[in-house]
Amino acid sequence: METRIIEHNKPEEDISSAILIEASPTPGVAGIIACNYLIENFGGKKIAEIISPYFPQISLINDDGIATLPKIEIHIVTIGNQKLLILMRNFPIDSNEGSQIIAKKIYEYLDSKGIRSLFIFASGRVSDDRSIYVSSTRIDNINHLLLSGAKPAPSLDSLPVDRLTGFLMMFFAINRKDVYLMLADTPSYLPDPLAAKRMLEVFAKSLQLNVDLSKLDEEIEKHRRTVEEMERGLLGIEAERQRRTPSKEPFYIG
């Protein structure tokens, strides 16, 4: 078995003006939530998938309870006059050799289609203020994102992405193509639809895309209730622990 790309529903039209979005599997999975939303609500169509022996040797369970092997999919979404290619996966790859081989194969495929812009949708804990941070290979590239509500990303000791995403960014950058990292601040590792919505708001505004995000509000409310229930549960456990713990050392009379 070798790393290869299988095309499905090959686009007949020119897609060289499309923007590539990679949903990076990071804490809060805001990028994955955001990209799933675009695919599900704007008629996304799978055009290719990548298979590789370097993928984790595990089975993934989908929403229908069906086990599937890991794979990377590329979907095309059209919003107004803007085409988006969305690179989807829900597993990290940490092997240096495997990540480089897979990223190179993906880059060569996208390069053959004329794709020149890469957005990385990621999330993680940065400042606890729910901001969307952005950086790029060229600082003047991010002005439209800053005007749309993003903030310049702080200096990071390391990129909050795995090796596959890092290599993909490198291949775009060394070939003088535009690379943007959008990082949604999220307070925990739990799936965070609010971070996904804020990221999409900035992205859509910067490209002047008409995107209705109201369907995310239900997921945001579910997330809020889940967090509150977890907090109540933790408070209950702590209260019970304190109740069972003596307030002072036992006093013995000999």
Side-chain angles (χ1 to χ4, degrees), residues 18-202:
I19 292 172
L20 174 68
I21 303 173
E22 204 246 346
S24 184
T26 48
V29 294
I32 293 174
I33 296 172
C35 287
N36 270 328
Y37 187 86
L38 293 176
I39 292 169
E40 292 173 3
N41 290 278
F42 293 93
K45 182 171 63 175
K46 183 169 73 172
I47 62 171
E49 67 179 85
I50 299 93
I51 58 174
S52 173
Y54 295 102
F55 288 172
Q57 301 302 304
I58 57 174
S59 293
L60 302 173
I61 308 299
N62 64 17
D63 293 339
D64 298 320
I66 299 173
T68 61
L69 294 175
K71 60 183 175 182
I72 300 174
E73 297 181 340
I74 301 176
H75 297 254
I76 187 167
V77 171
T78 302
I79 304 176
N81 295 321
Q82 180 63 62
K83 291 182 175 60
L84 306 173
L85 292 185
I86 299 178
L87 189 67
M88 288 292 294
R89 61 187 170 105
N90 57 0
F91 56 91
I93 300 176
D94 290 322
S95 159
N96 263 327
E97 179 186 8
S99 295
Q100 185 172 7
I101 290 171
I102 296 167
K104 184 177 181 182
K105 181 69 71 172
I106 293 172
Y107 174 78
E108 289 173 346
Y109 172 76
L110 296 168
D111 185 55
S112 72
K113 304 296 183 185
I115 306 302
R116 299 199 57 81
S117 294
L118 166 64
F119 275 77
I120 304 297
F121 280 9
S123 51
R125 192 165 191 170
V126 181
S127 60
D128 292 330
D129 67 356
R130 288 289 190 177
S131 292
I132 303 299
Y133 295 94
V134 62
S135 62
S136 177
T137 46
R138 294 210 328 257
I139 192 64
D140 56 319
N141 276 1
I142 67 172
N143 288 335
H144 63 298
L145 291 162
L146 299 179
L147 291 172
S148 300
K151 295 181 179 180
S155 298
L156 301 172
D157 293 334
S158 60
L159 290 175
V161 296
D162 69 353
R163 288 182 174 87
L164 174 57
T165 299
F167 277 117
L168 189 60
M169 294 171 71
M170 182 192 75
F171 285 126
F172 267 78
I174 63 177
N175 286 283
R176 299 183 180 279
K177 297 185 180 183
D178 295 335
V179 179
Y180 304 85
L181 172 64
M182 294 187 68
L183 179 62
D185 184 54
T186 183
S188 74
Y189 281 82
L190 292 174
D192 191 345
L194 177 57
K197 182 178 181 180
R198 291 177 64 85
M199 180 181 290
L200 285 175
E201 286 172 341
V202 171

